[in-house]
Structure formats: C-alpha cells, structure tokens
Amino acid sequence: MAHGKNSEEKIVYVGDSRVKKAKGFVVPPDYTAYPGKSEAFIPNFLLKEWMVGVVFLVGFLVLTIAEPAPLGFPANPSATIIPMPDWYFLFLYEYLKLPYASGDYVVLGVIGVTGVAFSALLLAPFLDTGKERRFYRRPITSSLMILSIMAIVYLTNGAWTHYTSEMEKSGQKPEHIQRHEEAEEKRAKGLPTSNAVVTKEVAIVEKEDVAMESYKLAGCITCHAADMKGAAGPSLRGIGDVHDKDAILTIIKEGYNGKMGPQYDNAIAAGLTDQDVDHLAEWLAKQKAE
Amino acid sequence: MFKNIYNWIDERLDVTPIWRDVADHEVPEHVNPAHHFSAFVYCFGGLTFFITVIQILSGMFLTMYYVPDIINAYNSVEYLQTQVAFGQIVRGMHHWGASLVIVMMFLHTMRVFFTGSYKAPREMNWVVGMLIFFVMLGLGLTGYLLPWDNKAYFATKVTMEIANSVPYLGPVLKELMQGGTIVGAQTLTRFFALHVFFLPAVLLTLLVGHFIMIRRQGISGPL
C-alpha cells in the first residue's frame, strides 16, 4: 500500500487509489450501543433463522405437491376467455375500470392517481421527514398507508367477485381446471392426455404434374420459392383452401391487392400458352391441406 | 486442514476483511424473535431473499426444458409438467414462489414503513427497496405470459391495452414491449428475454445495493 495508517503526509488517500480520505461518513452505532443481549449473526442467529426457513420450506413443498401449478389450453387468439391478470395486479386492473380512471379520464387513471401514488411510495422518506418513527405519532403518513391498503383490498375483492360472477354467467370453468378434468377422463379411457400443439406441414398435391414445370418456368418461384413455401411472396401450399380456380386465374391476370402485379404477360413471355396458365390455375386450386 | 487451506488463500487474497464486512456482525436483541416473539416481523426481509433464491434456482432448472417460441412454449411447459421427473414440483415452486415473494415483500415493506425505518440515514435504501418491488412486479408480469396458454395470452393483451393508454408514450411503449403490432411470437421472445436476463440482472444489482447499505448503516434501533 502506498500510504500506511500513520502516514505523515497532509493528504491521505484511500488504499493505493487517488481517492482522498474524507471524514464525511459517520459510522453507525455499534450494537453494544443498544440495550439488551445481542447475538452473533454467524453462526448463532443464522442457524435459528435457517430453522424458520426449513419449517417454511416444508410448508412450501407441501403446497407445491398439493396444488400443482395451473396450466390451461394453448393460446388461441379466437378463444373466448375472460382475461384475468395475476392476483397481485387485480387492484390495478379493477381500479382502471372505474369511471374516473377509464374512458375519457384514462390519462388521469394511468398517470394521475397511479403515478402520484407510486411516486409518493417511492419517495416516502423525503415526504415524511420528521424524526418520529412510531406509526401512531405519524398520523398522516400512517393513515394514508392504511387507507391505501384498504383500497387495495376493496379493489382486489371487487375484481375477484366480478370475475367469478362473469364465469358463472357464461358457464365457463377456469381453463386449468377444465384441462385437468379432461385429462382425468382421457386417462381413465387410456387415451393420450396431451394438448400439445402439433403443426403438420402441408404437402404439395400432385407434385409430378406438368403444372409444376409451368410454375417454375413462369417465374412464380422468384417470390413464392421453388418449394412453394413462399419467400418475398406468401406460401402457396394449401392455397386451394383459400381461392378457387377462377379466383386464382383472376389473380394471375390482374394481380393481387397491389401486393403482386399482373403475371399473365410474364408467363406468356416465358413461353407458356394460355392453356398452360389455365392448367396452372387448376393445379393451384387443387392445393388443399387435406 | 481446512484451516491451512483458508490460511493459504488468506495470505494471498486477504479475505478476512471481506468476511468481516459480510458476515461478522451482531444481531441486536430488539430484532431477535428468540428474545421478543413480536420481533418475527423482522424476518420478512430474510424470507423474501430466501424465496428469491428459490425462484432463481427453480427458474434455472425450468430453462433446461422451456422453449420460448409460440408453438413449443406450451408444449415444453406441458411436457415439463406431465413427463419430466419432479418437473411438476419445480414448476410448482416457481409458480407459488412468485406469489409468495410478493406477499413477503409486501409484509417486509409494511414492517419498514410502520416502524419508520426508512428515515434518515436510510432513505436511499427505501428507494432501492421500492425499485426492487417494481422489478419483482415486472418479473411477475413477464413470467405470466411464458406458459403461452389462453390465460397468459389474454392477460398480456389487456396489459398491452393499458400500456397503450399512457399519454404520448403509450403506443411506443406498447410496440416496444410487444415487438410488433400484435401479441405474438416477438412478444413471447421479448418477455422471455426480459424475464430471464434483463430484469434478474437489474434485480441482483439492486439487491447487492440493498444489502451493502444495510451493512453500512446497520439495522434501525429499537422504537
């Protein structure tokens, strides 16, 4: 170290750094300053704390075994579900439905009250600057907090009551319960219980048809790719489920929604006859998923 | 022998002062439930940390099976839940731990609040603690989407609507979180990244600050 403890120099640095040693920080009182019996953190207190931890852990593990984590059905944007956030967001969710926190007043709801409340909580030590620590000697601070907690309990209860009544009205069951019951039924019948999403690749129908050659020759492959899975343009596999032959012919001749220009002249220029194009459209209309 | 190994390391790295700073201190009577049972309220902070450790460990094991894409997310969670040995327990710990950590953190915050422990010189530690609270809520929000079931999907859609209603910044905020115009594949990978990398990094940094400040300032005195 560059400077020992008993350095005679006028400026004293911290360690071998260039930070000057200052005497700003006041060392907190030693625990012997507090009355009563203090105890070593390690190992005495930590072992006692660990015993509390073990009891907690046993209870926690019993909970995880008794109540498996819920899992519903795979996300499906067209499903009819009553949306529900996790329980600790319920008060915010319910609050933002109040008349003066939604609709025209949504700014007040999102930024106004919520913003002020959370900022006040964040900056509590700078708002409540008195020396007094006991809560009953700080009536304003304490009552604000108690009021907030009561509001949170009230709003959470409101959200939950609303949710359960909605579920009852629509005759729905929470999906994780539904899934569990269905799985039990399937298991009893010896069927597989999985709800896993299985994606099957759509195959090209009549791959050996001459239309496949026309498809390549006419230059369709530049956008729709040689395997018809699409590149700059969309996939044409299973296109027969979307458009029939006439519609496809119209698309080839007139283009598609401004995304694709007319392709008929290009096809003729590439050496296809009108009959070839007609056959190509017919073949494309046969491209169905099943 | 252990003494010799310790001495060998200590001679080279001088670890004794670090040990002294981290662990060698006394617990005063007024926070020790062995002396006053009502002092159990001082346990909530430690229990919050304990559950946080459980969350980190169980989360690490979950990522060994979880796949963050819209087809395999659900499939991998279902596989983990129904096929993997002890998978149901590990996922259960992570699921219930997420709720318990909020409960414990709330109780800890209330203890600090009603004992006025956030007062000078401990203001900064309160602010850091509140930031930890917000990060935890963020972890809960992002983690909720990851199983990619209907409940997760529709709750996240509502979250996005709420984000969208923030004045001026709303649409930008929504698109940033969503990674596009709909709740979809990008949203899932984004929430996964936030849940597994960004937020835990912030959380650990804040926790280190929280603990250093406790050691520097000591526990607040008796009322």
Side-chain angles (χ1 to χ4, degrees):
Chain A
M1 297 287 162
H3 305 278
K5 266 184 186 166
N6 302 318
S7 175
E8 293 290 314
E9 290 169 70
K10 274 183 185 163
I11 303 169
V12 181
Y13 294 97
V14 178
D16 58 355
S17 72
R18 296 187 183 193
V19 179
K20 284 174 193 162
K21 193 175 163 84
K23 20 180 168 165
F25 183 71
V26 182
V27 181
D30 190 70
Y31 287 116
T32 50
Y34 298 131
K37 310 161 202 120
S38 61
E39 165 171 49
F41 176 65
I42 287 180
N44 307 30
F45 188 73
L46 195 63
L47 280 173
K48 284 182 196 163
E49 222 174 23
W50 173 236
M51 280 191 269
V52 177
V54 167
V55 172
F56 169 83
L57 198 58
V58 169
F60 185 55
L61 284 173
V62 167
L63 173 70
T64 61
I65 294 165
E67 284 287 330
L71 181 66
F73 295 113
N76 174 8
S78 53
T80 46
I81 290 284
I82 301 166
M84 191 66 170
D86 219 349
W87 63 268
Y88 42 86
F89 287 118
L90 283 181
F91 77 97
L92 267 180
Y93 185 51
E94 181 74 0
Y95 163 75
L96 289 172
K97 284 197 236 162
L98 294 178
Y100 282 99
S102 57
D104 295 341
Y105 299 97
V106 71
V107 175
L108 184 68
V110 174
I111 292 294
V113 180
T114 323
V116 169
F118 279 108
S119 311
L121 192 61
L122 184 68
L123 301 174
F126 305 103
L127 299 172
D128 174 28
T129 49
K131 277 235 161 28
E132 183 57 64
R133 283 180 47 208
R134 281 165 289 192
F135 69 91
Y136 49 85
R137 292 280 179 80
R138 297 182 285 138
I140 296 171
T141 321
S142 299
S143 48
L144 277 176
M145 180 54 92
I146 291 167
L147 265 179
S148 312
I149 294 171
M150 274 158 53
I152 287 172
V153 171
Y154 173 77
L155 287 169
T156 305
N157 180 52
W160 184 250
T161 317
H162 179 73
Y163 172 70
T164 43
S165 76
E166 285 287 299
M167 288 299 264
E168 226 167 83
K169 241 187 271 172
S170 62
Q172 284 185 38
K173 238 184 258 177
E175 277 203 341
H176 66 277
I177 297 174
Q178 208 181 325
R179 177 187 164 279
H180 182 74
E181 285 172 357
E182 280 179 22
E184 290 289 312
E185 269 172 41
K186 284 185 198 159
R187 192 171 294 128
K189 288 180 196 157
L191 297 168
T193 56
S194 171
N195 291 300
V197 190
V198 183
T199 45
K200 260 195 279 176
E201 194 172 81
V202 178
I204 301 176
V205 180
E206 291 179 29
K207 207 175 174 178
E208 305 302 320
D209 198 286
V210 283
M212 191 76 201
E213 289 309 310
S214 309
Y215 170 75
K216 288 175 184 164
L217 200 62
C220 308
I221 57 168
T222 45
C223 291
H224 296 291
D227 57 6
M228 296 177 68
K229 281 183 179 172
S235 167
L236 291 183
R237 292 196 183 195
I239 192 71
D241 291 326
V242 189
H243 304 294
D244 63 2
K245 184 194 164 189
D246 291 338
I248 292 172
L249 213 51
T250 317
I251 291 168
I252 293 174
K253 284 179 178 162
E254 293 170 14
Y256 187 68
N257 283 351
K259 289 174 190 155
M260 182 181 90
Q263 299 297 328
Y264 184 77
D265 293 341
N266 293 347
I268 298 297
L272 266 68
T273 63
D274 183 62
Q275 227 173 355
D276 288 337
V277 176
D278 189 76
H279 181 63
L280 178 60
E282 194 181 329
W283 177 74
L284 282 171
K286 282 188 206 161
Q287 301 298 328
K288 292 181 190 260
E290 290 300 323
Chain B
M1 193 189 74
F2 288 115
K3 187 81 190 155
N4 287 338
I5 293 172
Y6 179 81
N7 287 342
W8 190 88
I9 293 170
D10 196 36
E11 272 166 34
R12 282 153 184 83
L13 294 177
D14 197 21
V15 289
T16 304
I18 302 174
W19 171 251
R20 191 176 59 220
D21 286 346
V22 171
D24 191 17
H25 55 97
E26 302 239 304
V27 179
E29 185 186 327
H30 72 281
V31 302
N32 192 338
H35 295 298
H36 306 281
F37 182 69
S38 61
F40 73 88
V41 294
Y42 288 90
C43 282
F44 296 138
L47 281 173
T48 307
F49 180 63
F50 186 46
I51 305 169
T52 307
V53 172
I54 291 178
Q55 289 304 93
I56 291 170
L57 290 177
S58 57
M60 277 158 63
F61 280 100
L62 289 180
T63 53
M64 294 174 90
Y65 290 92
Y66 181 75
V67 183
D69 86 52
I70 50 174
I71 290 162
N72 292 309
Y74 181 88
N75 294 3
S76 63
V77 173
E78 193 192 62
Y79 178 73
L80 181 70
Q81 179 88 1
T82 56
Q83 308 288 319
V84 178
F86 299 111
Q88 186 178 335
I89 302 222
V90 175
R91 183 163 175 258
M93 286 172 84
H94 204 71
H95 173 84
W96 293 112
S99 288
L100 271 176
V101 84
I102 301 282
V103 172
M104 289 300 165
M105 208 163 39
F106 175 75
L107 293 173
H108 175 58
T109 309
M110 287 305 107
R111 192 279 293 167
V112 173
F113 188 86
F114 285 113
T115 57
S117 302
Y118 56 78
K119 296 194 169 240
R122 300 185 177 80
E123 304 98 322
M124 277 161 66
N125 217 2
W126 168 270
V127 173
V128 168
M130 284 321 296
L131 293 178
I132 291 175
F133 207 130
F134 297 148
V135 170
M136 285 287 192
L137 290 179
L139 282 163
L141 190 82
T142 49
Y144 202 62
L145 179 70
L146 299 186
W148 200 248
D149 58 1
N150 274 325
K151 188 179 64 168
Y153 178 81
F154 285 96
T156 305
K157 276 185 88 168
V158 174
T159 309
M160 291 306 165
E161 278 165 33
I162 292 172
N164 195 33
S165 62
V166 174
Y168 303 113
L169 289 175
V172 180
L173 193 67
K174 179 186 160 196
E175 202 159 323
L176 186 71
M177 287 204 286
Q178 227 169 226
T181 48
I182 53 157
V183 176
Q186 279 284 334
T187 322
L188 184 61
T189 45
R190 226 158 250 218
F191 272 41
F192 176 75
L194 285 172
H195 187 78
V196 174
F197 295 105
F198 289 80
L199 291 175
V202 178
L203 178 71
L204 289 177
T205 315
L206 289 171
L207 277 178
V208 168
H210 205 59
F211 293 154
I212 287 176
M213 280 192 255
I214 296 170
R215 289 296 293 122
R216 297 231 100 182
Q217 299 170 334
I219 292 176
S220 58
L223 285 171

